[in-house]
Amino acid sequence: MGHAGMAAAAVRYLRSAGEPRTAGPVEPLPRPDLRAVGDDERAPVDPAEFRRVLGNFATGVTVITAPAPDPAADPEADPGATPAGFACQSFAALSLDPPLIAFMVARTSTTWPRIARAGVFCVNVLGAHQGDLCRGFAVSGSDKFAGVAHEPSPVSGSPRLEGATAWIDCAVHAVHTGGDHLIVVGRVRALGTPAPGPDGNGPADAPLLFHRGRFGHFTP
């Protein structure tokens, strides 16, 4: 597929997700030129080796959530639909002014189109005790929210998971292509951490980490 074909495919995908219903006006950043990688440009990197080497970079772990569709606002919405959510370790702060964050999601994800249609999401930063919760959100084909305590985030209404060390309530700001993933930029609308306990720390202030294919935690 040539450069023009890649661009057209990306545009069709983004349009198929529907127009985001953001909480307010958003000033989108200019879209970069889309460019395919030619066969003669591909680096001789084995995917398994790529994963092994990059796995040495320890990351935090998040769960990205979005509210269930509202049948009153979207006649095509399934009245029995549940909120959407998936585990994500590819997350980072992006900009302070304006406040932006970013996460990466596979283009094959079945959860991302639901988040794109909502146009809003909440990033839940998981604590060291939430490994099992993360595993539940890493699989597909089931109700990931069954038995999971949560409440609506203040602006978007996206699920804010109980026990998370931090939450960031966002509107979709921009979406860019990045190979077999999408780079989603979120405009931060609200954020916070749990109320501190008697010792001055939050109830789950130690973060959940992912390193070399395993969960771990930070010890001060």
Side-chain angles (χ1 to χ4, degrees):
M1 182 182 292
H3 299 176
M6 281 287 290
V11 170
R12 285 197 300 271
Y13 176 87
L14 296 177
R15 284 177 177 171
S16 70
E19 292 295 328
R21 298 184 292 275
T22 59
V26 173
E27 302 78 29
L29 301 176
R31 287 184 58 81
D33 292 333
L34 301 179
R35 177 175 175 275
V37 178
D39 290 337
D40 59 343
E41 297 176 292
R42 298 185 185 280
V45 176
D46 177 71
E49 180 68 357
F50 182 88
R51 285 196 180 103
R52 185 189 70 81
V53 174
L54 271 294
N56 286 279
F57 179 65
T59 67
V61 184
T62 72
V63 168
I64 311 293
T65 63
D70 181 4
D74 184 359
E76 298 181 359
D78 178 3
T82 61
F86 73 100
C88 177
Q89 67 180 99
S90 300
F91 165 79
L94 179 62
S95 168
L96 186 62
D97 185 16
L100 302 174
I101 57 86
F103 69 85
M104 276 62 80
V105 59
R107 296 178 71 167
T108 56
S109 169
T110 57
T111 302
W112 161 246
R114 297 175 61 192
I115 297 175
R117 282 192 292 269
V120 293
F121 61 91
C122 183
V123 180
N124 294 270
V125 181
L126 300 188
H129 64 295
Q130 294 181 302
D132 289 341
L133 178 69
C134 179
R135 292 184 185 92
F137 277 92
V139 299
S140 58
S142 62
D143 181 4
K144 301 177 185 179
F145 289 87
V148 176
H150 61 85
E151 62 182 2
S153 55
V155 178
S156 74
S158 302
R160 188 168 62 180
L161 305 182
E162 183 177 300
T165 65
W167 56 272
I168 306 132
D169 201 5
C170 303
V172 175
H173 180 74
V175 182
H176 307 291
T177 56
D180 57 9
H181 276 59
L182 296 172
I183 304 166
V184 181
V185 180
R187 183 73 175 256
V188 178
R189 299 303 189 188
L191 73 172
T193 56
D199 58 357
N201 297 317
D205 53 332
L208 181 65
L209 301 180
F210 192 72
H211 180 247
R212 293 184 177 179
R214 298 181 179 181
F215 290 126
H217 63 274
F218 174 76
T219 303

